Amino acid sequence: MTLASTETAADVSTGFTKKQALYGVFGLAVLLVLAKLIGILPEFLNRIPEAYIPDYAATFDAGFNAWRDSITTVTRFFSERLEFHLKVTAHLLYGARVHFFNPIDWLTLMTVSSGAVLFLDNRKAALATMITIALSGIFFTFVVGVGGQFGGMSQHALMWVFLVTAAVLGGMMAWKDNTFSPLIVLGVVFVYALILNGYKLGPLPWTSIAATAAVIGYYLGGWRLGLLGGGTFVWTALIGQWKLAMETMSVLVVAAPAAFIIGILLGIAAWKFPKFDKVLRPILSILQTLPFFTYLLPAVIFFKVGPTAGAMATIVYAIPPMILMTTLGLKKVSPEIVEAGKMAGCSRWQMLSRVYLPAARTELLVGVNQVIMLCLAMVVLTAFIGMPGLGAKLLAMMNSFKLGRSFEIGVTIVLLAVMLDRLSKAWVVKQPEHFERGASLWKRHFYLFAAIIAFVGFLLISQVVEVADSIGRKQHFSKGKEIDGIIKGFLDIDIVQAVTGWIRWFLITQVLIPFRDAMLWVPTSAFILFVTSFSLWLGGRKPAVFAFIFFCFVASTGWWDRSVITLYTVISAVILALLIGLPIAIYAARSETWSKRILLFCDTAQTFPSFIYLLPAIMLFGINDVAVIFSILIFTLVPLVRYTVEGLRGVPPEMTEAADMAGASRRQKLLNVQLPLALPTMAVGFNQAIMFAFFMVIIAAFIGTQDLGQELQRTLAGTDLGKNFVLGMCVSLMALTFDLTILSWAEQRKKALGLSS
Amino acid sequence: MNKFTLAMATTAIITAPFAANAADSSDPIVIPIHNWSSQIVMSHAVGQIFESMGNNVEFVTTDSQAVYESVRLGDVALELEVWEGAFGASFRAALEKGGLHDVGDHNAVTREDWWYPMWTKDACPGLPSWEALNACADKFKTAETGDKGRYLDGPVDWLKHGKERVDALGMDFVVVNAGSAAALWAEIGAAEKDKRPVVVFNWTPNFAEAVWPGEFVEFPAWEEGCDKDPAVGPNPNALYDCGNPAKGYLKKAAWDGMKDKWPAAYSTLEKISFTNPQIAEMAKFVDIDEMEPEEAAAEWLEANKDVWMAWTK
């Protein structure tokens, strides 16, 4: 079977066909290279002279300094609000002290809670919730203060009277109207109130949390997920990382909901107002490709050191996919459903909350899944700016060269990630259950009660049995030193050393250094034109224009050489990943079981914290480009393999059968039928691989590089916000060029093949 | 709520901050911790001393260069390990901007410079002299540095001047920056098996001394102004033509507001002074005995009551 060629119709508006434009741009680039070769290229076409480079960083800094105080006042205000909630979860999970309280925090709590109740239940319940929380807020602010004393009557007694009244009210609503949300929301407020009054609730015993996780897992996906949910926490406790994991979780449980709420609100706004959408999209694209170092420095400057800054960076990092999934989901809601809603006489709020959002449930939950995963990844990475927890411990362990302990922490992170991923994915698939009218409360909320019973049960047990409460240092089962020995032993095997030694020598001297020097030799002007023609050839006119503008900007920042080195590292890693990944994926796609195995492996590799790969890479290859590329390679292999397997397995069986009937050999079938049909899907994987490579190449500064990442790392030590931002934009724009080009190509192919939905 | 109680509550809230002035504030003293063991344990030890005095203490992990900005702004209250070589520049810059001040030196001295593990001496017997090192530069060559030797410097954000020194002294070395301390250890660890000669950036006090015995390279001795005045040092036309100070200071720094907010803790901080063996011992608890930093600090305090009790008076 042959496929239609990629050529598109002539572009009438400019009078050029795409082919002519392509030849023109490419030819010009070749001419420039030839000119340099014979030595007649004017210097300004080779490299932009220093004198003409605008100082973006200084301009940015000047602008920023003018507004600095007012900006920081605002951001610090927000960071304090965030810090309050972080403190509360930190108290619950690992026993930190809550030492301040601001009435505004109560206002946020009130708004969010009553909003949630309004969405989940009805106006009446929301109003009741709002009044209860408002009253309690006034009570705390004016009567008690934080931990203050109220003359005459004990504050505790008053608080209890008040809270019990609220609980009874909520309970009655639950009983009568079957509206559970006020009760749950009031429960949360209850917890806040207790903590603020100096009751020591945390740290919660590990058995309680593990048991609750097991019940939730069982509810969402049967005993397997139940085991995963409970098992993860049991492992964490036994290996002696409970407190670290809880430090990480305490940020996650605040950051993920915050990102979710902000994301869904912005997503709805973008769906309602197309103009807003137009403004938002490019910002989101840039946010998604900005290297994470660029999130960190502003976070420190604007949002204090420690967990607050980390949480803020995490939230910002996790919002974009939620926005995109919300808009996508809302747009997809079928007109029949909308029609039905209108016929039922829904108000605008009802249309949104009862028709659109439930209908977009799947996309929203996929968004939730992505938010959770990104948050977890970022919470670990923000260790660079002082986020405590697993990430910080990992960094400390790596800095004192403890491979075994680092590895164990890596396993914990993977388990947490896999657990959260599976549970949230199971939630996507699980449809809401509907019960017969008059089904008992117990029956309707069986799992809720089971979770509560498990939680409270272990809470009581842990009061008596100390091990159920927390596991001390001498009791845990960490095997750090032994694993250390195994890893070092493996790296010391002569064959391994000989092989890696040879690879290092071969790649460095024969491949990488010549390739890098060649890329650096190419004149800037020709380089930009080459990239442009690549975009034009693959993606079409629009991506090409963007490629041209973006690379011109990169050239004008004065960081050209470092940008080229970054690009060289990315390209080398992706090419190597292609060479290794494609054969594996093609082989694996032949059978169901191997596909599954490979995909499982991909999942694990993807969630393994990226900087753990760095140490073995250094020990194998030394501090040089090979180690850098090796560590990127592991990361980029994952999407390549995954999408290739999925693309090949997604080829319609009619097509392969047709090929079989036509008497095609296995090779012919693969090359002429399966691969062309899988190519658009593979391109998505290829694109992701490039994005991952751009992400990792910056982290690889940890090994030691000479690219933009190294400069970014340098800015982290100071307060060079302008430079940090300019460098981040360079990375982002280069990544975006590829992103636009490849996705545009995949889109066209899908249309040509009739695969697009 | 009647007017009387409201008035009482308001008065209580307004007067609360003033009442606190007499003793240390109940707000937590925020102590920064970084990513090397001795500093983490020392911070926990000092934190526990403060706690024993009735203060509340909180720890935040921060970048070791950016921390001076945080001390200046009062986001963290103090910094216990200001290394002359590594953080002198950031410290002085923050000092000029105002907001933090010097609270005196520890008894301990610090040194940071080119360093090699002992086995390197077998390949290059003339060490530790820098001229001898330069003479056997080819023993240190790698695939990526060609004929020249490779010197593995600290990460760029530590602001070392390895490259400048190589140029100033005309050495046959290429300076490669490791991306992190971990990268340095990985490189030494990888060289250990076949006793490959390496020369890397290192410092003391540090856990690495216990794992891999080694020595510092002896460069032309440090003279004041070597980093500012080209005339100082053997090469009259270049900066950085001498070694780092062999006896660098280890300082304590505090936020200006600390003295008023936590006077008792501040006076303790002024007296605190750790020695090299004490720091090494604390680091050993964590790095070799695999204790958690909090426990290591508690253990150290338990064993050295006579040392720190005096500071609290």
Side-chain angles (χ1 to χ4, degrees), chain A residues 6-155:
Chain A
T6 39
E7 269 173 65
T8 47
D11 193 325
V12 187
S13 61
T14 56
F16 288 114
T17 63
K18 188 182 140 187
K19 217 173 200 169
Q20 280 169 335
L22 181 59
Y23 286 152
V25 176
F26 191 76
L28 193 59
V30 173
L31 275 183
L32 286 166
V33 170
L34 286 176
K36 179 164 185 184
L37 216 72
I38 44 176
I40 56 161
L41 187 76
E43 183 51 34
F44 73 95
L45 285 175
N46 186 29
R47 286 286 186 273
I48 299 179
E50 289 283 327
Y52 292 102
I53 287 172
D55 197 343
Y56 293 114
T59 321
F60 185 87
D61 274 337
F64 165 64
N65 282 333
W67 290 93
R68 181 174 187 145
D69 285 344
S70 33
I71 297 176
T72 41
T73 317
V74 175
T75 51
R76 291 257 160 158
F77 174 78
F78 281 112
S79 74
E80 256 168 48
R81 306 288 70 77
L82 185 65
E83 192 177 355
F84 172 69
H85 298 282
L86 284 174
K87 277 270 163 17
V88 170
T89 55
H91 174 85
L92 284 177
L93 292 176
Y94 65 97
R97 227 172 55 92
V98 185
H99 62 84
F100 65 96
F101 165 71
N102 188 320
I104 294 169
D105 298 326
W106 217 248
L107 214 63
T108 345
L109 198 63
M110 184 182 84
T111 322
V112 172
S113 326
S114 37
V117 174
L118 181 62
F119 175 70
L120 291 169
D121 285 312
N122 53 42
R123 212 177 297 173
K124 200 175 97 195
L127 199 66
T129 317
M130 194 195 266
I131 292 171
T132 324
I133 301 177
L135 281 176
S136 66
I138 293 170
F139 172 77
F140 284 125
T141 316
F142 290 107
V143 186
V144 178
V146 183
Q149 282 295 316
F150 177 52
M153 194 169 182
S154 148
Q155 52 156 327

Side-chain angles (χ1 to χ4, degrees), chain A residues 91 155-157 159-160 191 193-202:
Chain A
H91 174 85
Q155 52 156 327
H156 299 296
M159 182 196 74
W160 279 106
V191 171
L194 285 176
I195 295 173
L196 281 179
N197 278 278
Y199 282 91
K200 205 172 166 330
L201 298 188

Side-chain angles (χ1 to χ4, degrees), chain B residues 171-205:
Chain B
M171 298 174 77
D172 290 324
F173 274 84
V174 174
V175 176
V176 173
N177 287 99
S180 56
L184 288 172
W185 314 140
E187 190 68 32
I188 304 175
E192 190 180 9
K193 160 97 191 304
D194 38 7
K195 304 282 181 255
R196 183 158 48 82
V198 282
V199 54
V200 302
F201 178 80
N202 200 347
W203 60 92
T204 176

Side-chain angles (χ1 to χ4, degrees), chain A residues 68 76 83 87 97 99 138 141-143 145 150-151 240 243-244 300 304-307 383-388 392-393 395-402 405 473 476 478 480-481 492-494 497 504-505 508-509 513 615 618-624 701-706 710-711 713-714 716-719, chain B residues 1 5-6 8-10 12-13 26-28 30 34-37 40 56 58 60-63 65-66 69-70 72-73 75-76 90 97 142-144 150 152 155-159 176-190 193-194 196 207 212 286-295 299:
Chain A
R68 181 174 187 145
R76 291 257 160 158
E83 192 177 355
K87 277 270 163 17
R97 227 172 55 92
H99 62 84
I138 293 170
T141 316
F142 290 107
V143 186
F150 177 52
K243 194 179 168 212
L244 300 170
V300 173
K304 277 175 120 176
V305 291
F384 283 103
I385 52 163
M387 174 75 80
K393 190 72 180 174
L395 271 188
M397 284 294 135
M398 287 174 66
N399 277 333
S400 49
F401 199 51
K402 289 196 184 123
R405 293 286 293 277
R473 189 179 84 82
H476 68 63
S478 168
K481 277 198 169 153
D492 274 350
I493 299 170
D494 285 326
Q497 286 222 327
R504 172 184 181 177
W505 171 83
I508 284 278
T509 58
I513 290 185
L615 275 194
I618 294 170
M619 296 197 66
L620 286 173
F621 300 109
I623 296 176
N624 55 42
F702 202 73
I703 294 180
T705 50
Q706 280 105 48
Q710 192 188 31
E711 281 299 317
Q713 196 187 29
R714 203 197 297 263
L716 276 194
T719 45
Chain B
M1 194 193 312
T5 44
L6 180 64
M8 256 183 56
T10 324
I13 291 168
S26 67
D27 282 355
V30 183
H34 309 311
N35 52 15
W36 66 93
S37 317
I40 301 177
N56 288 306
E58 213 176 87
V60 291
T61 323
T62 69
D63 180 81
Q65 300 282 1
E69 185 72 8
S70 308
R72 218 171 61 72
L73 297 174
D75 288 347
V76 302
S90 298
K97 283 194 201 165
T142 59
E144 57 277 3
R150 183 196 58 174
L152 199 58
V156 277
D157 55 334
W158 294 1
L159 314 171
V176 173
N177 287 99
S180 56
L184 288 172
W185 314 140
E187 190 68 32
I188 304 175
K193 160 97 191 304
D194 38 7
R196 183 158 48 82
F207 86 99
W212 304 288
V286 171
D287 289 323
I288 312 295
D289 304 344
E290 305 239 323
M291 286 187 199
E292 293 300 318
E294 296 92 327
E295 298 161 340
E299 194 126 324

Side-chain angles (χ1 to χ4, degrees), chain B residues 77-236:
Chain B
L78 52 96
E79 165 61 52
L80 285 166
E81 286 195 10
V82 186
W83 292 58
E84 176 165 13
F87 312 120
S90 298
F91 171 65
R92 283 193 297 271
L95 206 58
E96 270 168 31
K97 283 194 201 165
L100 91 172
H101 62 275
D102 183 350
V103 206
D105 296 0
H106 288 283
N107 175 285
V109 292
T110 58
R111 182 171 185 188
E112 312 166 291
D113 223 319
W114 295 35
W115 176 96
Y116 54 85
M118 263 326 181
W119 64 77
T120 303
K121 232 176 172 170
D122 300 336
C124 191
L127 285 170
S129 126
W130 72 272
E131 281 119 335
L133 176 74
N134 199 28
C136 40
D138 61 323
K139 298 267 186 349
F140 298 92
K141 68 183 183 193
T142 59
E144 57 277 3
T145 57
D147 292 333
K148 294 192 170 181
R150 183 196 58 174
Y151 163 60
L152 199 58
D153 208 349
V156 277
D157 55 334
W158 294 1
L159 314 171
K160 300 294 143 207
H161 300 277
K163 195 160 166 12
E164 286 88 340
R165 189 183 299 171
V166 164
D167 293 342
L169 295 173
M171 298 174 77
D172 290 324
F173 274 84
V174 174
V175 176
V176 173
N177 287 99
S180 56
L184 288 172
W185 314 140
E187 190 68 32
I188 304 175
E192 190 180 9
K193 160 97 191 304
D194 38 7
K195 304 282 181 255
R196 183 158 48 82
V198 282
V199 54
V200 302
F201 178 80
N202 200 347
W203 60 92
T204 176
N206 181 2
F207 86 99
E209 298 163 285
V211 185
W212 304 288
E215 286 173 346
F216 286 100
V217 176
E218 296 299 340
F219 279 96
W222 165 263
E223 293 169 59
E224 197 52 47
C226 192
D227 54 346
K228 289 188 194 79
D229 181 6
V232 178
N235 183 341

